Amino acid sequence: MAKGLQGFLWTMLLLFCAIQELGSWAMHTAVEGPGLGEPGDPALLAGGRVKRGWVWNQFFVVEEYTGTEPLYVGKIHSDSDEGDGSIKYTISGEGAGTIFLIDEITGDIHATERLDREQKTFYTLRAQARDRQTDQLLEPESEFIIKVQDINDSEPRFLEGPYIGSVAELSPIGTSVMQVMASDADDPTYGSSARVVYSVLEGEQHFTVDSKTGVIRTAVADLDRETQDRYEVVIRATDMAGQLGGLSGSTTVTIVVTDVNDNPPRFPQKMYQFSIVETAPVGTAIGRVKAEDSDVGENTDMTYQVKDEEGVEMFKVTTDSNTQEAVITVQKPLDYESKKVHTVVVEALNKFVDPRFVDLGTFRDQTIVRVSVLDVDEPPEFRPPSNLMEVQEDAHVGSVVGVVTALDPDTANHPVRYAIDRSTDAERIFDIDAKTGAIVTGKVLDRETAGWHNITVLAMEADNHSQVSRASLRIRILDVNDNPPELATPYEAAVCEDAKPGQLIQTISVVDRDEPQSGHRFYFTLAPEATNNHHFSLLDIQDNTAAVHTQRVGFNRQEQDVYLLPILVVDSGPPALSSTGTLTIRVCGCDSNGAIQSCNSTAYVVSATLSPGALIALLVCVLILVVLVLLILTLKRHHKSHLTSEDDEDMRDNVIKYNDEGGGEQDTEAYDMSALRSLYDFSEIKAGDGGGGPGEGGPGRNPASELHALPQWVQSPDLDFSVFRDYICRKVEQADEDLSVPPYDSFQTYAFEGSDSPVPSLSSINTWSSGSEQDFSYLGGWGPRFRQLAALYAGRRGEEDSEES
């Protein structure tokens, strides 16, 4: 059939070309004269004929030509062409020389390539007629158009695919689903090649399509998503208005059936069974149940509730929003001994109900949940759970405060033993009978010390102390009137010497540590020992206070400056207790306005400001105290330093205390050598040597020479210096290791000279003299550094010798 259709098309094409060729020859017009007119410029000739230079028809060429020979398009001809071949025809423009070729002699134009109107609908070219010999332009260049004639060679196409639509289930017939559109590339202005109609190839049982608009609609009213939630519908588009020979294209449309809430929830089981121990705390989850719903999305959202009264009281049902399950939890404590099995009716219903489908039935379902309570060994329970007891504070030790009772809730009913948690009663104020639970006082009570006691009572099984219950017990100590009232403070009052009778001196109030239930009521009166008092009166104001007034005119503080007024205070009991307090009243001098100036013993009122003289006196006293303190500190420091210098036996400290630097060899005033000599008692040395003659330090020795003659060390051959050497080495080692002491090394090496010293010792410390006169002239040969030392001794010796001569 396809081959027959193709043959038919080519037959029609050839027929069209023949008609075109005949029309071109029929419209050919000869030239009437030798001159060529401009194209488009008509010249009126004799007889009314129009003279034109170019004569041709508008050219057409059929697309998609598949012949082997070039396709004839048309012919151009000049009226000056006499057919002798002297004119050469040429074309230029779109496709000239490639797609379109012209015969230079005849002017015939042929198409050499296959054309497609969908790509290009027409071509614009320009024609020229030239003299073949001179190549001169015989006619002005003229423009012409070659149009591509359309044929039905493009099938309709769905360019917006793939198509996906949706429709709600149970929608009525004719509900619009979506619209599809196909486009045809053929010329819509030529024939019916681009006229498209739509039809359903597959899925026509459930859907239809509008042949002109392409709107897809439902064909049935019982689309059920739970049965089939997706349909594949094939839509065909055909051109030529669906006539025979038209081309077609198709597309697949996916139609999704969306859900509506048309299915109620259903429990898979009519009964569920769970078990839980009786000691499970409130809020413990027992189990989960779930109702199934064939719908999807929010149409499956459910809520659960307990329908029976017993279940509502004991259990609670909540909805898990993630899994849409009913979570059953304990709402009240369970008791195996009271009830072993509980039956709960749970109902599930949709949260969102579509009113359009209410007639389909009720959108809820119920199931039965059977909860079995398991028995466990429970600790004793306090009954009744009263936590308040009262006892009088004057109760004797061992008095019963109250009795607590606890029972074993288990079927075995084990005996119970009682105890007090001593961490709550560390002072052991209360005791409890282990068998009866009677609480008794263990010590004397005092409400004023502690008015409440909070203790914890333990109840445990006699044979299993791990099963323990605790109960907090509050014991209130009831008040007993055992404290007498007392004056609020040690009252002291003052009265002016010129006071008048009836003048208020002081208002008295009292305190009482007791707290009677009916409140305090105090009575005031003067003590019996003050019955002969004619100076003051006491008035009970009836509001637990009393006022003291004067009874006489004026007082004389020279006669009596202090009055002691005993006041008796009695409470309301029972029993009534009393105490006596004393009000001290001082007689003071007052000014004309009644302001107290001074009293005999002490000034009653001290002025807020001091006079300048008093301030100066106060400052002088403070200054004297500061000077005394500084003087005492200075004396203590001086005394301490003096004691330290006398008691210190280390020669190094005596040297270090100078702490100054000499001025060189010329400085003879930096320090006094006699201070060093005074550290040793040379008189004892002289006394030891008193047996010698005048030349050996006897009484006939010159005192002047004693001041300048230094004793010289004379080493005895029988002395052992190892002790000194060891001592000096230990001191040097200690000084080297201790970084906190001053550097004494130079002086320690000065303390002892070995036997190999090239010169005798010059030190006046730790050196003993033989008492003989010595010659220091050798000091002059020691160099300039010892020049000053040689002048002190050798020079002095020279003066003495000269005086003797």
Side-chain angles (χ1 to χ4, degrees):
M1 181 177 177
K3 291 183 178 180
L5 179 59
Q6 186 177 5
F8 173 77
L9 292 175
W10 281 113
T11 302
M12 294 297 294
L13 177 61
L14 293 176
L15 179 61
F16 174 77
C17 293
I19 293 174
Q20 182 180 10
E21 184 68 20
L22 291 175
S24 176
W25 283 103
M27 295 182 67
H28 181 272
T29 304
V31 178
E32 293 296 330
L36 292 177
E38 295 294 334
D41 293 337
L44 295 177
L45 304 177
R49 297 178 65 185
V50 178
K51 178 182 178 181
R52 293 183 180 274
W54 291 97
V55 179
W56 59 68
N57 195 6
Q58 179 172 303
F59 299 131
F60 292 90
V61 61
V62 179
E63 68 170 335
E64 303 297 341
Y65 173 70
T66 58
T68 58
E69 298 293 332
L71 178 63
Y72 179 77
V73 177
K75 182 183 182 66
I76 60 174
H77 183 72
S78 175
D79 55 1
S80 61
D81 188 1
E82 295 179 355
D84 55 0
S86 61
I87 298 178
K88 181 176 69 173
Y89 295 98
T90 60
I91 59 175
S92 63
E94 296 177 335
T98 56
I99 300 176
F100 302 103
L101 298 179
I102 187 171
D103 191 323
E104 294 181 353
I105 299 175
T106 63
D108 294 333
I109 302 175
H110 292 80
T112 61
E113 295 183 7
R114 183 177 178 179
L115 303 180
D116 188 359
R117 191 206 65 83
E118 285 71 33
Q119 293 184 359
K120 192 171 182 63
T121 59
F122 64 90
Y123 296 85
T124 303
L125 294 94
R126 291 176 297 279
Q128 294 178 349
R130 295 180 179 273
D131 185 282
R132 188 177 296 278
Q133 299 295 330
T134 63
D135 199 29
Q136 291 184 357
L137 190 63
L138 300 178
E139 298 288 347
E141 185 180 66
S142 181
E143 185 178 272
F144 66 96
I145 296 175
I146 299 177
K147 289 187 177 181
V148 181
Q149 189 69 44
D150 181 48
I151 64 172
N152 189 21
D153 61 340
S154 298
E155 73 278 2
R157 294 184 179 181
F158 294 91
L159 302 179
E160 298 180 0
Y163 294 92
I164 300 177
S166 63
V167 63
E169 62 176 331
L170 302 180
S171 296
I173 298 175
T175 301
S176 175
V177 179
M178 64 179 303
Q179 183 182 18
V180 295
M181 294 186 66
S183 60
D184 195 320
D186 291 327
D187 189 359
T189 64
Y190 181 76
S192 300
S193 299
R195 287 184 60 190
V196 180
V197 294
Y198 301 93
S199 60
V200 180
L201 283 182
E202 296 180 11
E204 64 274 6
Q205 300 89 352
H206 301 94
F207 299 96
T208 61
V209 64
D210 189 292
S211 61
K212 295 182 179 181
T213 62
V215 176
I216 302 175
R217 301 179 185 274
T218 57
V220 294
D222 59 349
L223 292 177
D224 187 10
R225 188 204 63 81
E226 289 72 31
T227 303
Q228 184 175 352
D229 61 351
R230 185 182 298 266
Y231 293 89
E232 303 289 339
V233 180
V234 179
I235 303 298
R236 181 175 63 184
T238 307
D239 59 10
M240 298 296 292
Q243 297 177 4
L244 183 63
L247 303 178
S248 64
S250 63
T251 187
T252 300
V253 180
T254 302
I255 300 177
V256 178
V257 180
T258 59
D259 184 58
V260 296
N261 194 8
D262 59 338
N263 293 282
R266 291 289 180 263
F267 284 102
Q269 301 174 213
K270 289 302 179 183
M271 178 178 288
Y272 297 86
Q273 292 188 356
F274 299 100
S275 60
I276 188 171
V277 296
E278 62 176 331
T279 56
V282 174
T284 302
I286 299 175
R288 291 171 175 250
V289 296
K290 183 179 181 181
E292 303 294 339
D293 193 330
S294 301
D295 297 322
V296 295
E298 66 176 12
N299 294 324
T300 61
D301 292 347
M302 287 180 249
T303 57
Y304 298 89
Q305 58 186 5
V306 179
K307 294 299 293 182
D308 60 311
E309 295 182 359
E310 178 189 358
V312 170
E313 182 180 359
M314 298 298 299
F315 303 98
K316 180 181 179 181
V317 176
T318 57
T319 304
D320 189 331
S321 58
N322 296 325
T323 62
Q324 296 300 316
E325 292 178 315
V327 182
I328 305 171
T329 56
V330 178
Q331 186 163 276
K332 279 190 175 182
L334 303 174
D335 186 12
Y336 172 82
E337 289 72 25
S338 300
K339 192 170 186 179
K340 299 178 177 60
V341 178
H342 297 270
T343 301
V344 184
V345 178
V346 179
E347 182 181 65
L349 63 156
N350 280 130
K351 187 181 295 185
F352 306 104
V353 178
D354 195 331
R356 296 177 299 171
F357 308 107
V358 174
D359 55 348
L360 296 179
T362 176
F363 283 81
R364 59 184 63 198
D365 193 22
Q366 293 182 350
T367 188
I368 297 175
V369 179
R370 193 168 183 268
V371 181
S372 300
V373 181
L374 304 179
D375 186 28
V376 294
D377 189 8
E378 299 175 275
E381 295 180 355
F382 287 91
R383 299 177 183 177
S386 176
N387 62 349
L388 177 62
M389 292 183 180
E390 296 179 345
V391 61
Q392 297 284 343
E393 67 173 321
D394 60 348
H396 299 289
V397 175
S399 300
V400 177
V401 179
V403 179
V404 294
T405 303
L407 301 176
D408 184 7
D410 298 324
T411 306
N413 194 16
H414 297 95
V416 178
R417 296 293 179 263
Y418 303 92
I420 293 178
D421 187 354
R422 288 305 173 184
S423 63
T424 61
D425 185 27
E427 298 180 2
R428 295 183 175 271
I429 299 177
F430 301 97
D431 294 322
I432 188 170
D433 190 292
K435 294 183 179 180
T436 64
I439 299 175
V440 298
T441 58
K443 290 184 178 181
V444 177
L445 304 177
D446 185 11
R447 189 204 65 82
E448 288 71 31
T449 303
W452 288 88
H453 295 273
N454 297 321
I455 63 174
T456 299
V457 179
L458 309 178
M460 63 200 78
E461 294 181 2
D463 54 352
N464 185 7
H465 289 183
S466 62
Q467 296 294 332
V468 180
S469 294
R470 298 172 178 268
S472 297
L473 185 62
R474 301 172 67 237
I475 301 177
R476 180 183 179 184
I477 310 301
L478 300 179
D479 184 45
V480 174
N481 191 27
D482 56 349
N483 293 281
E486 299 174 352
L487 294 182
T489 61
Y491 287 103
E492 288 191 5
V495 61
C496 295
E497 288 183 298
D498 55 353
K500 297 180 176 55
Q503 182 175 339
L504 176 63
I505 300 176
Q506 184 69 47
T507 300
I508 304 298
S509 61
V510 297
V511 293
D512 193 335
R513 298 177 61 190
D514 296 322
E515 292 183 359
Q517 296 182 355
S518 59
H520 290 290
R521 178 67 179 93
F522 303 110
Y523 304 94
F524 299 86
T525 182
L526 293 177
E529 58 267 25
T531 53
N532 296 327
N533 168 59
H534 302 290
H535 307 289
F536 305 97
S537 63
L538 180 66
L539 176 62
D540 191 342
I541 308 178
Q542 305 295 324
D543 61 351
N544 293 335
T545 62
V548 178
H549 297 83
T550 58
Q551 273 190 327
R552 54 177 283 187
V553 177
F555 294 87
N556 188 353
R557 55 179 171 171
Q558 300 298 331
E559 297 177 357
Q560 185 174 354
D561 60 347
V562 176
Y563 294 89
L564 301 178
L565 184 65
I567 300 175
L568 179 66
V569 184
V570 183
D571 61 15
S572 57
L577 301 178
S578 63
S579 68
T580 301
T582 301
L583 172 63
T584 302
I585 304 174
R586 300 184 182 278
V587 179
C588 302
C590 303
D591 58 11
S592 58
N593 296 324
I596 297 175
Q597 295 296 319
S598 62
C599 300
N600 280 354
S601 59
T602 58
Y604 189 79
V605 177
V606 178
S607 176
T609 60
L610 297 176
S611 63
L615 288 175
I616 293 173
L618 182 60
L619 292 176
V620 170
C621 293
V622 172
L623 183 60
I624 292 174
L625 290 176
V626 171
V627 171
L628 289 176
V629 170
L630 293 176
L631 182 59
I632 292 172
L633 292 176
T634 303
L635 292 176
K636 284 185 176 180
R637 182 175 299 176
H638 179 71
H639 182 65
K640 181 178 180 181
S641 61
H642 180 68
L643 292 177
T644 302
S645 62
E646 291 181 353
D647 297 339
D648 197 348
E649 298 178 357
D650 194 348
M651 295 297 103
R652 297 174 298 178
D653 290 346
N654 295 327
V655 176
I656 291 300
K657 283 184 173 60
Y658 285 97
N659 196 21
D660 58 359
E661 183 178 354
E665 297 179 357
Q666 303 300 325
D667 186 6
T668 59
E669 303 295 333
Y671 55 89
D672 186 5
M673 289 296 294
S674 62
L676 295 176
R677 297 191 184 97
S678 64
L679 296 176
Y680 299 92
D681 191 358
F682 288 100
S683 60
E684 295 180 1
I685 299 174
K686 296 173 185 178
D689 298 335
E696 298 177 355
R701 186 174 180 178
N702 190 357
S705 63
E706 294 180 1
L707 295 176
H708 298 281
L710 290 175
Q712 184 175 0
W713 173 264
V714 179
Q715 183 174 350
S716 176
D718 58 350
L719 293 178
D720 185 8
F721 295 100
S722 61
V723 177
F724 302 98
R725 184 180 296 103
D726 294 340
Y727 173 77
I728 294 173
C729 291
R730 285 198 305 272
K731 289 298 182 179
V732 171
E733 183 179 357
Q734 292 177 3
D736 290 341
E737 293 178 354
D738 190 355
L739 301 180
S740 62
V741 300
Y744 294 144
D745 296 355
S746 60
F747 184 76
Q748 289 184 13
T749 58
Y750 222 81
F752 172 75
E753 292 183 8
S755 58
D756 296 332
S757 177
V759 294
S761 174
L762 298 177
S763 175
S764 61
I765 302 174
N766 293 338
T767 303
W768 299 98
S769 175
S770 62
S772 62
E773 295 294 336
Q774 297 185 26
D775 185 10
F776 297 102
S777 59
Y778 61 88
L779 294 178
W782 285 9
R785 294 187 177 183
F786 296 91
R787 185 178 302 162
Q788 188 68 25
L789 187 62
L792 290 176
Y793 294 98
R796 185 67 178 174
R797 181 66 179 176
E799 292 178 359
E800 293 177 356
D801 294 341
S802 62
E803 290 177 359
E804 292 177 0
S805 61

